[in-house]
Amino acid sequence: FALVANAQITKYDVNNDGKVNTADVVAIYKYIATGEGDAGVPSPANVKAVVTGKSVVVSWTAVSGATAYTVYRSADGNDYSVLANNVGGNSFTDKAPLEGYNYYVVTCIVDGQTSDYSAVVKVKYEAGIESGLYMGVMCFNDELYTQPITLLNDESKTTFNAFIDKMTMKNATILCYSVDNALDALKNASLPKDLSKVAIVTFTDGLDRGSTMLNYDYDSAKEYLAALQDRITSEKVKGFNIDAYSIGLRGADVEGDDNIADFHNTLRQLASSESNAKEVNNMAEVNAQFIEIAEQLSQSTIVQSVQIVLSGISDNGTKVRFTLDNASSAESSNIYIEGTYIWTGTGASRVYQLTDVTYHGFTTTSGSTLYCTRDGVYVSFSVENIVTEDNRILDNNQFDEWDYKNNSTWTHNSEWEPDRDSKVEVEKSSAVIMLVLDCSSSLGNDFSTLKSHAKDFISKLQDASNGNSSGGNGGGGSQGGNNDFNGVNRTFTVNGVQFTMVAVEGGTFEMGNGNGGGDVTPVHNVTLSSYYIGQTEVTQALWTAVIGSNPSRWKGDDLPVEYVSWNACQNFITKLNALTGEKFRLPTEAEWEFAAKGGNKSKGYVYSGSNTIGDVAWYDGNSGDKTHPVGTKMPNELGIYDMSGNVFEWCQDWYGSYSNSAQTNPTGPVSGSDRVLRGGGWSDYATYSRAAYRGYYNTPSISFSNFGLRLAL
């Protein structure tokens, strides 16, 4: 007891006489009995530490009147150091815990006085298996060949590529048996703790022939398929559902109505949803599906957190809504946080909270009460581990704040400034993907192409895992400027077909149309670096020179290629880049509009190059219901043809609402469901040919006879 008293003599020397006396002993007894430290300040109670993914969440019961908490950590339970100061709520997330045991204690401040340490809490953290993207590959014909699941990196990608390269075609198709084994491999794999996505991608060109000879539990392929569908939809891997994708290219052995119906059923049974089952017509469409699936899988491993500052709120009990999707009103938002802002206590001991919190359009591990940290007249809070429903990357420039006034209407908070009052942090979690490939002899000459596309699929997944995703730009061309720009038009020749890229000097312009309403507002300043854009739409001659076939409805070398999907354009650009060694791509929506408006030479025309549509465009009023040779109307200020009319032109961007904020080299939303189309076409009203008009289509794999493209570089 004397040792305790001497250790605490400064803290509990009630009479300031440097001696232990009765009053001091009473104070020490009080500390021992109640855990109260300075001036009777209670220590935080019920301290807990829980491992969550790669973090440890430390929580405690809030102390009445506490204005801040301090969290300490030790590796051995003896030597503690400060881990976090001025913690505003009753929890703290240690995002870099020590390997092995972590010891935590917490103190609080009440009326300027610091409590003693809380009780010690101990938790064991094991970093375990390295985080990242894990992958395995299975190939099949009359045998099953397996490359086991492993972390995808440069070394393992080389191994996967070599494995695929050595595959040869054989008869038979043990499809069901292979998918069954792939599901087993997923369930038995050693995977990281931060796993968030489990997927299997299966390609086949035929019906199952032989699986029941290897698994005697089933008497028919239909019975085996039904069992696989049950596994796919009901089983979990480490607590996660299995996202199953199937891609089918009908082979020569799938003939007759019954076999075709069985093939469709096979694809559906091997997918986790009807939308994940895709029948395609050629190898280019197989590649397009691989690209689309790679994008979806890479986006789905993203976990985000947001920090938000409440500004300009003075009333206790104000209901607030934070919209996260550039909504024009509180009511129109699909992604938002809503709660009631309150405080308890008085003076400097106030505790600020957002209570009754609800979340829309995303999931989060944050609860219904968010404790706020005060900094002068501002208070802030965080929402952790956000996963949006559509895998959207949140952009704080699209955030806004609304207050519910007089319990009747939502009113915009005019003091809100996105860059000042909000921040988004993005982290990637781990995923595991099994690729299952049909190597049966019915593939014929397409087999080598399939192997190439499969290796590209693996490369795209690795690029995304490393944070180098090109967003499907068909060959890795950088968006937002061309480092080799010299201000002079460039001409290229591919397999005897010549085309020209027009030099567009970078500059700043007003994107949108203030008189247009709808999705062409708000008008906002955009600054672009220099780049090149096609002098004309891609012609059928160029498309055929690269792809070897022509999908267009109306045929003619000088006509714009049409009936091309966004995915098909990516495949075309990939092959064009391989032939030229360049980095062609689709233009961003901002690049397209800047060029259409005449760039730095703009005269402010409504259409691209004129206020009279007939001068510059083929549209429903003059086209005769067909496309026309490129470059037969007047060019715009930059010498570019047909940016109004003839065919709609795909852009690289996902479609999304405009921002109020000025932007530099914008590339649109990181994810979405619709790809942008610009310029109007031969079958469309004049309005669609306006330079600022925005079109879009929600299935990048769909094509129509008024969908074409223009290149950027």
Side-chain angles (χ1 to χ4, degrees), residues 120-164:
V120 177
V121 62
K122 178 178 73 171
V123 67
K124 189 175 184 179
Y125 173 77
E126 296 175 305
I129 300 170
E130 183 179 352
S131 296
L133 175 60
Y134 284 73
M135 185 153 196
V137 180
M138 288 187 176
C139 297
F140 65 90
N141 34 56
D142 64 351
E143 295 184 65
L144 178 61
Y145 309 88
T146 301
Q147 189 62 40
I149 293 172
T150 188
L151 180 67
L152 183 57
N153 52 31
D154 289 339
E155 181 180 354
S156 63
K157 184 178 77 170
T158 300
T159 302
F160 284 129
N161 287 346
F163 171 76
I164 292 171

XYZ file of all heavy atoms in Angstrom, residues 120-164:
356
model
N -6.799 -3.019 -18.528
C -6.091 -3.451 -19.726
C -6.940 -4.466 -20.485
O -7.555 -5.355 -19.897
C -4.736 -4.083 -19.364
C -4.034 -4.610 -20.618
C -3.851 -3.078 -18.645
N -6.967 -4.308 -21.820
C -7.621 -5.313 -22.663
C -6.576 -5.852 -23.630
O -5.745 -5.098 -24.146
C -8.831 -4.718 -23.415
C -8.409 -3.603 -24.355
C -9.569 -5.806 -24.183
N -6.596 -7.159 -23.859
C -5.585 -7.821 -24.682
C -6.274 -8.563 -25.825
O -7.321 -9.182 -25.643
C -4.791 -8.810 -23.834
C -3.731 -9.600 -24.609
C -2.949 -10.528 -23.686
C -3.782 -11.716 -23.243
N -2.982 -12.729 -22.516
N -5.673 -8.480 -27.019
C -6.215 -9.205 -28.164
C -5.052 -9.678 -29.029
O -4.031 -8.995 -29.146
C -7.185 -8.317 -28.984
C -6.447 -7.170 -29.655
C -7.928 -9.143 -30.030
N -5.225 -10.840 -29.639
C -4.188 -11.398 -30.495
C -4.532 -11.122 -31.951
O -5.624 -11.436 -32.422
C -4.057 -12.904 -30.277
C -2.841 -13.512 -30.995
C -2.681 -14.988 -30.655
C -1.418 -15.556 -31.289
N -1.231 -16.997 -30.957
N -3.572 -10.516 -32.662
C -3.766 -10.219 -34.086
C -2.774 -11.043 -34.892
O -1.573 -11.021 -34.633
C -3.542 -8.731 -34.376
C -3.565 -8.399 -35.846
C -4.762 -8.321 -36.537
C -2.375 -8.187 -36.548
C -4.780 -8.033 -37.901
C -2.387 -7.896 -37.903
C -3.593 -7.818 -38.574
O -3.610 -7.539 -39.912
N -3.300 -11.772 -35.870
C -2.456 -12.564 -36.752
C -2.655 -12.067 -38.174
O -3.752 -12.165 -38.731
C -2.821 -14.048 -36.659
C -2.564 -14.643 -35.282
C -3.039 -16.077 -35.177
O -4.227 -16.330 -35.452
O -2.217 -16.932 -34.813
N -1.585 -11.531 -38.740
C -1.683 -11.008 -40.106
C -2.053 -12.104 -41.086
O -2.812 -11.901 -42.033
C -0.367 -10.355 -40.514
N -1.548 -13.307 -40.849
C -1.943 -14.454 -41.643
C -1.519 -14.348 -43.096
O -0.477 -13.800 -43.441
N -2.390 -14.849 -43.967
C -2.088 -14.942 -45.387
C -2.096 -13.556 -46.014
O -2.937 -12.721 -45.703
C -3.116 -15.868 -46.069
C -3.033 -17.262 -45.437
C -2.885 -15.952 -47.563
C -4.141 -18.179 -45.865
N -1.174 -13.333 -46.939
C -1.041 -12.033 -47.586
C -2.310 -11.656 -48.340
O -2.924 -12.481 -49.016
C 0.141 -12.070 -48.552
C 0.433 -10.750 -49.241
C 1.619 -10.833 -50.168
O 2.302 -11.879 -50.159
O 1.865 -9.856 -50.906
N -2.703 -10.403 -48.224
C -3.886 -9.922 -48.938
C -3.595 -9.769 -50.418
O -2.451 -9.604 -50.835
C -4.330 -8.574 -48.367
O -4.729 -8.704 -47.023
N -4.647 -9.805 -51.223
C -4.492 -9.605 -52.657
C -5.504 -10.407 -53.444
O -6.485 -10.930 -52.895
N -5.275 -10.520 -54.735
C -6.145 -11.282 -55.624
C -5.568 -12.677 -55.812
O -4.425 -12.837 -56.246
C -6.264 -10.579 -56.978
C -7.059 -11.312 -58.055
C -8.497 -11.552 -57.609
C -7.041 -10.537 -59.362
N -6.366 -13.687 -55.477
C -5.961 -15.080 -55.610
C -6.671 -15.696 -56.802
O -7.832 -15.384 -57.077
C -6.265 -15.857 -54.332
C -5.278 -15.558 -53.227
C -5.309 -14.338 -52.563
C -4.294 -16.464 -52.882
C -4.380 -14.035 -51.572
C -3.356 -16.179 -51.890
C -3.412 -14.962 -51.241
O -2.494 -14.669 -50.280
N -5.963 -16.585 -57.490
C -6.514 -17.132 -58.718
C -6.083 -18.570 -58.923
O -5.001 -18.981 -58.496
C -6.068 -16.285 -59.913
C -6.697 -16.703 -61.214
S -6.805 -15.330 -62.348
C -7.993 -16.029 -63.505
N -6.959 -19.328 -59.582
C -6.644 -20.677 -60.030
C -7.237 -20.883 -61.410
O -8.183 -20.196 -61.795
N -6.681 -21.827 -62.174
C -7.171 -22.105 -63.524
C -7.363 -23.606 -63.673
O -6.504 -24.400 -63.265
C -6.190 -21.592 -64.600
C -6.729 -21.904 -66.001
C -5.946 -20.096 -64.447
N -8.491 -23.992 -64.257
C -8.744 -25.382 -64.625
C -9.100 -25.444 -66.098
O -9.898 -24.639 -66.588
C -9.871 -25.975 -63.789
C -9.504 -26.243 -62.342
S -10.795 -27.130 -61.462
C -9.987 -27.383 -59.867
N -8.509 -26.387 -66.829
C -8.811 -26.618 -68.234
C -9.282 -28.064 -68.387
O -8.838 -28.953 -67.649
C -7.572 -26.386 -69.097
S -6.950 -24.690 -69.049
N -10.163 -28.282 -69.346
C -10.735 -29.621 -69.460
C -11.052 -29.978 -70.905
O -11.318 -29.128 -71.742
C -12.002 -29.747 -68.607
C -13.142 -28.869 -69.075
C -14.072 -29.337 -69.999
C -13.288 -27.578 -68.588
C -15.120 -28.530 -70.426
C -14.327 -26.764 -69.018
C -15.242 -27.241 -69.941
N -11.005 -31.271 -71.179
C -11.562 -31.916 -72.368
C -11.946 -33.318 -71.922
O -12.946 -33.447 -71.209
C -10.600 -31.887 -73.560
C -9.140 -32.007 -73.150
O -8.743 -32.963 -72.480
N -8.343 -31.026 -73.548
N -11.144 -34.359 -72.244
C -11.438 -35.669 -71.661
C -10.699 -35.875 -70.343
O -10.856 -36.896 -69.678
C -11.102 -36.788 -72.643
C -9.610 -36.855 -72.979
O -8.866 -35.929 -72.582
O -9.194 -37.825 -73.643
N -9.881 -34.875 -69.962
C -9.184 -34.878 -68.676
C -9.332 -33.509 -68.029
O -9.696 -32.522 -68.685
C -7.696 -35.192 -68.859
C -7.386 -36.575 -69.380
C -5.887 -36.825 -69.448
O -5.240 -36.844 -68.375
O -5.367 -36.973 -70.565
N -9.014 -33.440 -66.744
C -9.041 -32.174 -66.008
C -7.606 -31.787 -65.662
O -6.855 -32.577 -65.085
C -9.870 -32.315 -64.725
C -9.952 -31.072 -63.829
C -10.597 -29.909 -64.570
C -10.726 -31.378 -62.545
N -7.230 -30.565 -66.023
C -5.891 -30.041 -65.756
C -6.036 -28.852 -64.814
O -6.878 -27.977 -65.036
C -5.218 -29.601 -67.049
C -5.252 -30.644 -68.143
C -6.328 -30.701 -69.018
C -4.218 -31.563 -68.284
C -6.372 -31.658 -70.028
C -4.247 -32.518 -69.292
C -5.338 -32.566 -70.158
O -5.382 -33.505 -71.148
N -5.202 -28.805 -63.781
C -5.385 -27.804 -62.733
C -4.102 -27.050 -62.447
O -3.027 -27.654 -62.281
C -5.860 -28.472 -61.426
O -7.084 -29.158 -61.666
C -6.083 -27.420 -60.338
N -4.214 -25.731 -62.393
C -3.164 -24.873 -61.848
C -3.724 -24.304 -60.556
O -4.659 -23.507 -60.574
C -2.791 -23.754 -62.819
C -1.563 -22.956 -62.422
C -0.300 -23.811 -62.359
O -0.075 -24.677 -63.189
N 0.516 -23.587 -61.340
N -3.184 -24.702 -59.390
C -3.837 -24.408 -58.106
C -3.967 -22.914 -57.806
O -3.255 -22.067 -58.364
C -2.916 -25.090 -57.086
C -2.142 -26.099 -57.872
C -1.974 -25.517 -59.231
N -4.858 -22.615 -56.893
C -5.097 -21.237 -56.463
C -3.865 -20.690 -55.749
O -3.314 -21.328 -54.847
C -6.323 -21.180 -55.530
C -7.594 -21.520 -56.316
C -6.462 -19.806 -54.887
C -8.826 -21.671 -55.442
N -3.456 -19.504 -56.160
C -2.311 -18.839 -55.545
C -2.460 -17.330 -55.705
O -3.296 -16.866 -56.480
C -0.992 -19.319 -56.193
O 0.119 -18.798 -55.466
C -0.888 -18.840 -57.636
N -1.671 -16.577 -54.975
C -1.688 -15.121 -55.089
C -1.254 -14.716 -56.493
O -0.217 -15.171 -56.987
C -0.754 -14.498 -54.049
C -0.665 -12.964 -54.042
C -1.982 -12.338 -53.617
C 0.465 -12.504 -53.104
N -2.038 -13.854 -57.145
C -1.721 -13.430 -58.505
C -0.682 -12.313 -58.464
O -0.936 -11.218 -57.957
C -2.988 -12.958 -59.215
C -2.830 -12.549 -60.684
C -2.259 -13.685 -61.512
C -4.168 -12.090 -61.255
N 0.486 -12.600 -58.998
C 1.560 -11.605 -59.114
C 2.324 -11.905 -60.398
O 1.911 -12.751 -61.204
C 2.477 -11.639 -57.882
C 2.988 -13.037 -57.573
O 3.183 -13.857 -58.476
N 3.202 -13.329 -56.296
N 3.421 -11.195 -60.630
C 4.164 -11.383 -61.880
C 4.616 -12.827 -62.059
O 4.528 -13.397 -63.161
C 5.378 -10.451 -61.917
C 4.991 -8.990 -62.104
O 3.871 -8.740 -62.586
O 5.797 -8.110 -61.766
N 5.093 -13.414 -60.970
C 5.602 -14.786 -61.057
C 4.481 -15.775 -61.352
O 4.595 -16.627 -62.244
C 6.317 -15.154 -59.755
C 6.903 -16.556 -59.769
C 7.610 -16.901 -58.470
O 7.737 -16.004 -57.607
O 8.036 -18.061 -58.318
N 3.381 -15.674 -60.607
C 2.292 -16.634 -60.813
C 1.591 -16.397 -62.148
O 1.106 -17.351 -62.770
C 1.290 -16.561 -59.661
O 0.674 -15.295 -59.591
N 1.542 -15.128 -62.616
C 0.940 -14.874 -63.927
C 1.734 -15.594 -65.012
O 1.158 -16.174 -65.941
C 0.892 -13.378 -64.222
C 0.177 -13.056 -65.536
C 0.090 -11.575 -65.808
C 1.405 -11.018 -66.310
N 1.281 -9.615 -66.796
N 3.057 -15.569 -64.901
C 3.887 -16.295 -65.863
C 3.584 -17.788 -65.823
O 3.501 -18.456 -66.860
C 5.376 -16.051 -65.561
O 5.657 -14.651 -65.664
C 6.265 -16.814 -66.524
N 3.388 -18.309 -64.616
C 3.056 -19.733 -64.461
C 1.701 -20.044 -65.079
O 1.532 -21.048 -65.780
C 3.063 -20.114 -62.974
O 4.349 -19.836 -62.415
C 2.751 -21.586 -62.794
N 0.703 -19.182 -64.823
C -0.623 -19.391 -65.407
C -0.554 -19.348 -66.935
O -1.172 -20.165 -67.624
C -1.594 -18.326 -64.906
C -2.081 -18.539 -63.504
C -2.013 -17.520 -62.568
C -2.619 -19.754 -63.114
C -2.469 -17.707 -61.277
C -3.072 -19.962 -61.819
C -3.002 -18.926 -60.893
N 0.183 -18.376 -67.484
C 0.291 -18.254 -68.937
C 0.927 -19.498 -69.549
O 0.482 -19.990 -70.595
C 1.096 -17.014 -69.306
C 0.325 -15.732 -69.065
O -0.881 -15.746 -68.866
N 1.022 -14.606 -69.076
N 1.970 -20.011 -68.909
C 2.639 -21.213 -69.414
C 1.701 -22.416 -69.348
O 1.681 -23.262 -70.257
C 3.914 -21.477 -68.610
N 0.923 -22.482 -68.280
C -0.051 -23.568 -68.117
C -1.077 -23.538 -69.249
O -1.391 -24.565 -69.862
C -0.731 -23.426 -66.757
C -1.901 -24.346 -66.539
C -1.709 -25.688 -66.271
C -3.198 -23.863 -66.596
C -2.794 -26.538 -66.068
C -4.286 -24.688 -66.389
C -4.084 -26.033 -66.123
N -1.595 -22.351 -69.548
C -2.587 -22.218 -70.625
C -1.955 -22.511 -71.977
O -2.551 -23.181 -72.834
C -3.215 -20.813 -70.586
C -4.075 -20.649 -69.323
C -4.053 -20.548 -71.831
C -4.560 -19.238 -69.077
